[in-house]
Amino acid sequence: MTTMSMIKGLNEGLRRVLEDQPKSLVMGEDVGRLGGVFRVTDGLQKDFGSDRIIDTPLAESGIIGTAIGLAMRGYRPICEIQFDGFVYPAFDQLVSQLAKIPNRSGGRIRLPVVVRIPYGGGIGAIEHHSESPEAYFAHTAGLKVVTCSNPADAYWMIQQAAAGDDPVIFFEPKRRYHGKGEVDTEKPGLDLHRARTVREGRTATLIAYGPTVDVAENAAKAAAEEGLDLEVVDLRSLSPIDWEPLFASVRKTGRAVVVHEAPGNVGIGAEVAARLTEECFYSLEAPVLRVTGYDVPYPASRLEDDYLPNLDRVLDAVDRSLEH
């Protein structure tokens, strides 16, 4: 066991991928000499060379298009989109080509491409630097979508994503980058697409992912001081979603609150709420509630604390659920 930040966990995970897979490479804006704007790739170009850690032009569509071509020739690219809001120029390549070519070719062409995207708010950034675009990609058949919430998952999940033969969109919660935790570098964690029960409870279930797992944990700790026993589940995988742990938890507690930073309209929380209602209707004691970002463009940094889900909003939703 060793203590490391999420940035360090990702860096060490990428290092192991590059050591174990000679055809793997990292590409993106400033990932080489600079080591990435968040220093996730720091030191990798020095150790693996500029032919495997590639500084690309400022052209997201070109990054993904080039990665698709490389994958078709047997390479295993790991792309970095520098910020969440920069992914949209690459959207056509991602949803029309990366997601479709394996199916279009009847499985003859595999595209083992990982696309890393730092996402979410909470860092006081300017426009286009605090988006949560995960629902776009979770809605797209042919893409797998995952997100880590702690250093241990960051370390293992990036390796698991890079080991598969399917395209993976890998979301990294940037406001959790510097959070530290224990990482067992010898014992693999859960499978890539498994949900994780972070905290056991019986009063209600809090379902979160990425940056809001910490929010849900803190809400559960605060609720415990008032005698409430909240269960916390980290989705980890957004497509596919590991449904059985969610169903089991809600059948036990009878109540659920879904928490995410992205706007609520047609978000991941809407799908989770719908499926829980379909599968656990006779176990529910109250409607499934959502605590999300608001359905507006992400605000200026001085207002983001009012925009983002926080402990008080989560506990308010729990109180409303318990009123039923």
Side-chain angles (χ1 to χ4, degrees):
M1 299 287 287
T2 183
T3 300
M4 61 179 73
S5 67
M6 182 178 288
I7 288 175
K8 184 65 172 176
L10 289 164
N11 182 278
E12 291 296 323
L14 288 169
R15 185 175 295 276
R16 286 193 64 169
V17 171
L18 291 161
E19 290 170 348
D20 296 343
Q21 300 179 20
K23 287 288 189 177
S24 65
L25 51 89
V26 173
M27 55 193 294
E29 299 161 7
D30 297 320
V31 299
R33 291 179 62 186
L34 182 65
V37 294
F38 295 104
R39 304 300 187 266
V40 171
T41 55
D42 188 39
L44 296 183
Q45 189 178 76
K46 176 179 176 292
D47 293 339
F48 295 96
S50 59
D51 57 339
R52 295 188 69 193
I53 313 298
I54 304 166
D55 282 318
T56 67
L58 306 183
E60 287 77 15
S61 181
I63 293 170
I64 302 304
T66 300
I68 292 170
L70 284 166
M72 294 175 76
R73 298 295 294 177
Y75 292 91
R76 306 181 70 86
I78 302 170
C79 306
E80 178 182 298
I81 302 297
Q82 195 171 77
F83 281 91
D84 35 51
F86 298 176
V87 73
Y88 301 113
F91 196 76
D92 181 48
Q93 292 283 4
L94 289 165
V95 304
S96 299
Q97 307 303 333
L98 185 63
K100 302 294 193 298
I101 287 174
N103 181 70
R104 189 184 306 150
S105 67
R108 291 187 295 275
I109 298 174
R110 311 299 296 181
L111 296 179
V113 178
V114 177
V115 182
R116 295 180 39 246
I117 306 177
Y119 81 120
I123 64 167
I126 59 174
E127 190 178 26
H128 308 308
H129 291 68
S130 300
E131 307 291 322
S132 296
E134 60 269 20
Y136 290 116
F137 302 107
H139 183 73
T140 302
L143 297 177
K144 294 183 176 180
V145 183
V146 300
T147 179
C148 52
S149 66
N150 58 77
D153 273 354
Y155 177 78
W156 285 110
M157 289 174 72
I158 192 65
Q159 295 179 63
Q160 293 165 332
D165 289 331
D166 297 312
V168 178
I169 311 299
F170 193 97
F171 282 102
E172 302 166 6
K174 65 174 85 75
R175 67 169 160 145
R176 303 298 177 208
Y177 266 157
H178 297 286
K180 293 186 177 181
E182 292 293 311
V183 179
D184 187 338
T185 59
E186 299 300 325
K187 182 181 178 182
L190 293 172
D191 291 343
L192 183 61
H193 299 292
R194 293 290 303 276
R196 177 173 67 98
T197 300
V198 179
R199 180 187 179 105
E200 298 275 354
R202 302 199 66 85
T203 303
T205 302
L206 302 181
I207 300 167
Y209 60 84
T212 56
V213 172
D214 188 64
V215 176
E217 286 191 83
N218 288 335
K221 292 173 184 176
E225 297 176 2
E226 300 177 4
L228 301 179
D229 187 18
L230 303 183
E231 184 149 299
V232 178
V233 180
D234 179 359
L235 288 180
R236 300 175 75 250
S237 178
L238 308 183
S239 182
I241 290 175
D242 184 16
W243 292 108
E244 288 306 320
L246 305 187
F247 297 158
S249 179
V250 172
R251 286 170 182 145
K252 176 177 65 174
T253 66
R255 305 173 195 276
V257 176
V258 190
V259 188
H260 59 66
E261 282 190 18
N265 186 44
V266 200
I268 299 296
E271 177 64 19
V272 171
R275 286 295 300 273
L276 290 177
T277 302
E278 291 172 358
E279 300 292 336
C280 305
F281 183 78
Y282 292 106
S283 299
L284 286 169
E285 300 290 342
V288 180
L289 301 179
R290 293 174 288 162
V291 179
T292 69
Y294 297 106
D295 296 326
V296 297
Y298 196 88
S301 59
R302 66 181 180 275
L303 297 174
E304 68 178 351
D305 286 343
D306 297 313
Y307 174 88
L308 294 169
N310 58 29
L311 183 148
D312 289 335
R313 289 177 60 195
V314 173
L315 292 180
D316 177 69
V318 172
D319 288 342
R320 286 187 284 123
S321 178
L322 291 172
E323 288 173 358
H324 288 271

